[in-house]
Amino acid sequence: QIAFPHRGYGKKSGRSKKWREMLKLPPVSQCSELRHSIEKDYSSLCDKQPIGRLLFREFCDTQHDLKGCIEFLDAVLVNYDITNCYAFGLCCTKKPAAPLPEIPSRVLRECRLRLKQSPGKDVFEECTRIVHNYLSGEPFEEYQESPCFSRFLQWKWLERQPVTKNTFRHYRVLGKGGFGEVCACQVRATGKMYACKKLEKKRIKRRKGEAMALNEKRILEKVNSRFVVSIWV
């Protein structure tokens, strides 16, 4: 955790005015080109990207049938609990409930049978795939015409702006080396956390470490390992 000094509740507390200006979303009309150029992929826009995932769910909350699909996905994937499954009629040993209309009765019967034999998340893989396929159809097309998708485009426009030193908010130092240090930083627009490596050119030249620094840069650009942080330049 990062602790900030308490400065009361005056106008100077909290985020600076400059930071608020950086987080200002552009007009929707300014994102018209992005609307046509962005890849219309349901999995990427509505499931894998955090902001897109939240805005798509916000859109689904406005429609009763879609809200039920999102509640089902949350119950199975996010907050899995055997009691949540009863609410969707996937196992009827206690209180039968109306199942989601998108899931065929054959699949429901198989789920009930597998649930009695070996309960677990994998029991609902087929149901989850069917619900995602349903959401990726007409609901996804309606979402693209909604204000929620326009807000998503505004965030994407802000996210795609050129990276400068003002793009990040720097926090504490994570480690130090021979030519610089690594600190935690946060993208002001999206809130994503990164590790930022800072090199002092004077120290590199004084120790004649130009070749070593360039080699490290090339290696970190190409490396792909779960144990090594890749570099973005």
Side-chain angles (χ1 to χ4, degrees):
Q1 295 183 347
I2 301 173
F4 295 94
H6 178 68
R7 297 184 180 180
Y9 296 93
K11 294 182 179 180
K12 293 183 180 181
S13 64
R15 299 185 177 117
S16 64
K17 181 179 179 181
K18 185 177 180 180
W19 189 9
R20 289 196 298 270
E21 288 295 324
M22 290 179 180
L23 288 176
K24 191 174 182 180
L25 296 175
V28 176
S29 58
Q30 195 171 335
C31 307
S32 57
E33 182 179 348
L34 183 60
R35 180 183 293 271
H36 296 93
S37 62
I38 195 170
E39 184 181 3
K40 304 297 192 304
D41 180 66
Y42 164 81
S43 178
S44 174
L45 300 185
C46 304
D47 190 36
K48 295 181 179 179
Q49 299 189 41
I51 293 178
R53 180 185 177 90
L54 289 174
L55 288 172
F56 180 69
R57 286 166 178 260
E58 184 177 321
F59 164 75
C60 291
D61 283 342
T62 62
Q63 304 186 38
H64 178 71
D65 55 335
L66 300 182
K67 185 176 181 180
C69 292
I70 295 300
E71 289 176 348
F72 165 75
L73 294 176
D74 283 343
V76 174
L77 300 177
V78 182
N79 300 315
Y80 175 73
D81 188 341
I82 194 67
T83 57
N84 289 334
C85 306
Y86 290 106
F88 298 98
L90 297 179
C91 50
C92 302
T93 55
K94 290 188 177 180
K95 293 182 179 180
L100 293 173
E102 295 77 28
I103 303 178
S105 57
R106 174 188 59 82
V107 177
L108 291 177
R109 288 194 298 270
E110 293 177 358
C111 276
R112 295 187 187 110
L113 180 61
R114 293 183 59 192
L115 195 60
K116 293 178 181 179
Q117 296 174 350
S118 57
K121 287 185 180 181
D122 58 329
V123 172
F124 302 101
E125 285 182 355
E126 181 67 13
C127 295
T128 301
R129 185 187 63 80
I130 293 173
V131 172
H132 275 303
N133 284 343
Y134 169 74
L135 292 176
S136 64
E138 186 177 344
F140 181 51
E141 294 179 0
E142 294 176 356
Y143 166 66
Q144 295 176 52
E145 302 299 327
S146 69
C148 292
F149 187 70
S150 298
R151 177 55 57 90
F152 171 74
L153 294 176
Q154 290 175 300
W155 278 106
K156 294 303 292 185
W157 183 93
L158 191 64
E159 190 180 75
R160 294 186 177 189
Q161 296 311 295
V163 177
T164 66
K165 65 178 182 179
N166 295 323
T167 303
F168 302 94
R169 186 179 182 89
H170 294 271
Y171 295 119
R172 68 182 182 88
V173 175
L174 301 176
K176 294 184 178 181
F179 302 124
E181 63 185 21
V182 177
C183 67
C185 63
Q186 183 181 37
V187 180
R188 297 179 188 271
T190 64
K192 292 182 179 179
M193 298 296 296
Y194 293 92
C196 179
K197 184 167 186 175
K198 303 177 182 179
L199 298 179
E200 294 184 20
K201 292 183 178 180
K202 291 183 179 180
R203 189 182 302 179
I204 293 175
K205 289 182 178 180
R206 185 169 62 249
R207 300 187 179 185
K208 298 181 180 180
E210 292 91 338
M212 184 183 298
L214 289 174
N215 287 337
E216 182 184 15
K217 172 180 173 293
R218 295 190 188 102
I219 293 173
L220 292 178
E221 285 177 341
K222 297 179 180 180
V223 71
N224 182 17
S225 171
R226 59 184 298 185
F227 302 108
V228 180
V229 179
S230 301
I231 190 172
W232 289 9
V233 293

